[in-house]
Amino acid sequence: MIPLQEASARRREIEDKLKQEEETLSFIRDSLEKSDQLTKNMVSILSSFESRLMKLENSIIPVHKQTENLQRLQENVEKTLSCLDHVISYYHVASDTEKIIREGPTGRLEEYLGSMAKIQKAVEYFQDNSPDSPELNKVKLLFERGKESLESEFRSLMTRHSKVVFPVLILDLISGEDDLEVQEEVPLEHLPESVLQDVIRISRWLVEYGRNQDFMNVYYQIRSSQLDRSIKGLKEHFRKSSSSSGVPYSPAVPNKRKDTPTKKPVKRPGTIRKAQNLLKQYSQHGLDGKKGGSNLIPLEGRDDMLDVETDAYIHCVSAFVKLAQSEYQLLMDVIPEHHQKKTFDSLIQDALDGLMLEGENIVAAARKAIIRHDFSAVLTVFPILRHLKQTKPEFDQVLQGTAASTKNKLPSLITSMETVGAKALEDFADNIKNDPDKEYNMPKDGTVHELTSNAILFLQQLLDFQETAGAMLASQVLGDTYNIPLDPRETSSSATSYSSEFSKRLLSTYICKVLGNLQLNLLSKSKVYEDPALSAIFLHNNYNYILKALEKSELIQLVAVTQKTAERSYREHIEQQIQTYQRSWLKVTDYIAEKNLPVFQPGVKLRDKERQMIKERFKGFNDGLEELCKIQKAWAIPDTEQRDKIRQAQKNIVKETYGAFLHRYGSVPFTKNPEKYIKYRVEQVGDMIDRLFDTSA
């Protein structure tokens, strides 16, 4: 049972909580009543506001629509006024731009083109809207006048500012090809940059608005003239500089090279002078070939103008390629793309035709030289042809897109040069073979014949042009002539393109043919001499000259390609001629040879017959010695080594024979006047032989 006191306390607690809950409930009820009142008031306010908005809307909408209509009307008025102003402006274009058009575009191209744009729009407006309006004629005439002024300005700018390229600039451009290091290419400035931009803007306007292509003719005519004059100026530069050594050169731009402070001279092609220098070297070693005549015009002492003209033409060809490339770069900026190839074709014609004409003149001169047997002149074709072939890939690239007739000009010239070159080679070989044996042209002292020196000089010149000469021979299908089969692997699809190995074999065969013809001719010429010994000396000198010349150049290696034993063969020929010469002394030594001496007993008095025989032996020896020394002293052996060798060999033979004879009979009493017969001591005989082949002794 819960105590009464606790129950009473519990009750009081419950009653207190109940009282609190009733108070809370009463507060909530009062709050709800107030909220309902506020809600009713808000609904009343919103209803009133909605009513007022509806009244406002009914009042504003008509005003808004009226305002919108007024704004639209205002915009239409403004547009109408703007259109009127725009249309009216077309009627003022002629008067506004006439002064500018009349004064021309010089110095104010931007403003001028702006005026032309206004005139163009006016023309289009009147054509579309008022084709019968007099204003259309006005603006049309003004437009045509402006277009003519632009054409005139284009011509004026091109004429006044297009300058020839100076020779030193061209040489600088060409010389860059030979540099091992890749150098920064310096473009040529054909027109000042500001002028170029004006020219470009005018050309574009004429194409787009002027519907005019005449300016392209003006462009190519002016640039063609400058290109042609630039190349001719370079050629004239070479001619004026012909008196100085080498090709004078001045750098075109400040030094940009890393290796040297100044530009090196342009490399000159191999010419006749190189072979002449080789001959001078041979002459210093006793291989002089100036005596003796030939119907071949001598190669030595040629006018240096041949070299100058050759160098000039070669450099002009390279100049054309470089300048044409530069012209095309310029043309690409000025001429519309679909007209570029045709315009470029026309632009280069004069300069290209000039080069081709000069090349054909060289070919014609070579043909005439062949008729005169002046093969030194023909040699100018070789460096030119080699350069043309080397330059042909660049030529083809530059001429890409031009007419077929333009592209075929260089191949046609190359073919002509190959033909005349092959003709020269064949005629030279024939002339070596058929050079006449003219007695009055033969060297009196038996030295090297001019035919020999000319032949060797010509062959040496071919060393610098082995591939060129081989291609010349191959182009004429000379393989059949030399019995050299054509291997399909040695030829390309082009009939004139052969492998270097085949060309070398063909050239080697040709050189052997020339040397064979020369040897046959020399044998024939040697028969002109009545004295077999002099004939032997003549052949010896010529064979020795040929051998030494072959050895001192690369000819011996080239000959060995098809004739391995050539060197040994010449040495055998030389030795044979020495032996033939030595036999000329037999008529001297036979007098005192032991096999022909009388036999007698020492201490026994000689009989008259024996004494007379000894006298005859001494006299025969003395007379023969004096006669041979007198005759052979006037003969010549230019090669010091060979001269000493032949002297020494002969001296040993004669001294030994004479010494033995003198030892045996020098003390024999075969005469009362021994000094009459014993005229020479052994040493004196040697001294006399030492003076052989020496005209100064």
Side-chain angles (χ1 to χ4, degrees), residues 563-598:
Q563 196 174 65
K564 306 294 185 182
T565 62
E567 184 176 0
R568 185 181 67 189
S569 177
Y570 273 110
R571 295 192 186 280
E572 291 174 353
H573 289 324
I574 291 170
E575 191 59 36
Q576 288 174 2
Q577 300 310 318
I578 292 176
Q579 293 174 6
T580 300
Y581 162 74
Q582 289 176 341
R583 284 197 290 271
S584 68
W585 282 85
L586 291 178
K587 63 181 181 181
V588 176
T589 56
D590 278 352
Y591 280 104
I592 57 175
E594 186 174 355
K595 62 180 180 178
N596 297 324
L597 296 180

Side-chain angles (χ1 to χ4, degrees), residues 313 317 320 349-363 388 395 399 406 408-414 417:
Y313 185 75
V317 170
F320 172 81
Q349 284 303 315
D350 286 347
L352 181 59
D353 286 344
L355 284 177
M356 296 302 105
L357 177 60
E358 189 172 352
E360 291 297 341
N361 289 339
I362 292 172
V363 172
L388 289 179
F395 243 99
L399 301 183
T406 302
N408 291 335
K409 288 180 179 180
L410 181 64
S412 177
L413 178 59
I414 289 176
M417 288 193 170

Side-chain angles (χ1 to χ4, degrees), residues 180-243:
L180 296 178
E181 295 184 7
V182 177
Q183 302 293 337
E184 179 183 354
E185 185 175 349
V186 181
L188 294 175
E189 186 180 70
H190 296 291
L191 295 170
E193 183 61 27
S194 59
V195 174
L196 176 59
Q197 294 305 318
D198 287 349
V199 167
I200 293 173
R201 294 202 62 187
I202 293 174
S203 70
R204 290 177 179 174
W205 189 94
L206 290 173
V207 171
E208 185 174 357
Y209 301 107
R211 304 295 190 271
N212 182 291
Q213 297 182 7
D214 292 342
F215 78 95
M216 300 181 196
N217 297 333
V218 172
Y219 177 87
Y220 91 70
Q221 289 168 1
I222 294 174
R223 291 309 310 165
S224 175
S225 175
Q226 299 304 326
L227 174 61
D228 191 42
R229 290 173 59 194
S230 297
I231 294 176
K232 289 179 178 177
L234 177 63
K235 183 177 180 181
E236 187 64 25
H237 176 73
F238 273 85
R239 287 177 176 172
K240 290 180 179 179
S241 305
S242 60
S243 58

Side-chain angles (χ1 to χ4, degrees), residues 66-124:
Q66 185 177 5
T67 302
E68 188 179 37
N69 291 333
L70 290 175
Q71 287 177 343
R72 187 178 295 108
L73 290 174
Q74 183 180 3
E75 289 176 359
N76 291 337
V77 170
E78 289 177 352
K79 288 181 179 180
T80 302
L81 291 174
S82 176
C83 289
L84 288 174
D85 290 340
H86 181 69
V87 171
I88 292 172
S89 68
Y90 288 131
Y91 287 85
H92 295 289
V93 166
S95 58
D96 291 344
T97 60
E98 184 176 9
K99 181 181 178 182
I100 296 174
I101 300 303
R102 183 175 64 252
E103 293 176 352
T106 304
R108 52 175 182 178
L109 181 62
E110 189 72 28
E111 181 183 5
Y112 192 89
L113 291 178
S115 297
M116 289 298 294
K118 293 178 182 179
I119 297 172
Q120 173 72 15
K121 290 180 179 179
V123 170
E124 293 173 354

Side-chain angles (χ1 to χ4, degrees), residues 317-333:
V317 170
S318 294
F320 172 81
V321 173
K322 290 298 181 182
L323 292 178
Q325 289 173 343
S326 182
E327 287 291 347
Y328 192 76
Q329 292 299 318
L330 178 66
L331 179 141
M332 289 173 64
D333 293 330

Side-chain angles (χ1 to χ4, degrees), residues 271-272 275-276 278-279 296-300 370 373-382 420-429 432 450-465 469 472-473 507 510-511 514 545 555:
T271 54
I272 302 168
Q276 290 175 341
L278 285 172
L279 271 190
L296 297 174
I297 297 178
L299 302 181
E300 302 162 66
I370 293 173
H373 298 160
D374 182 6
F375 295 98
S376 61
V378 180
L379 288 174
T380 60
V381 172
F382 285 76
V420 76
K423 173 67 174 173
L425 292 174
E426 280 302 288
D427 280 19
F428 181 80
I432 292 295
E450 189 176 24
L451 176 69
T452 302
S453 60
N454 281 348
I456 293 299
L457 183 58
F458 187 88
L459 295 180
Q460 286 166 346
Q461 181 61 20
L462 296 184
L463 286 175
D464 285 338
F465 311 103
M472 285 178 176
L473 297 170
L507 184 58
Y510 170 78
I511 292 175
V514 172
Y545 180 90
L555 280 173

Side-chain angles (χ1 to χ4, degrees), residues 142-153:
L142 196 59
F143 182 81
E144 291 300 322
R145 188 190 307 170
K147 185 172 72 171
E148 291 174 0
S149 295
L150 283 173
E151 293 171 356
S152 178
E153 178 69 6

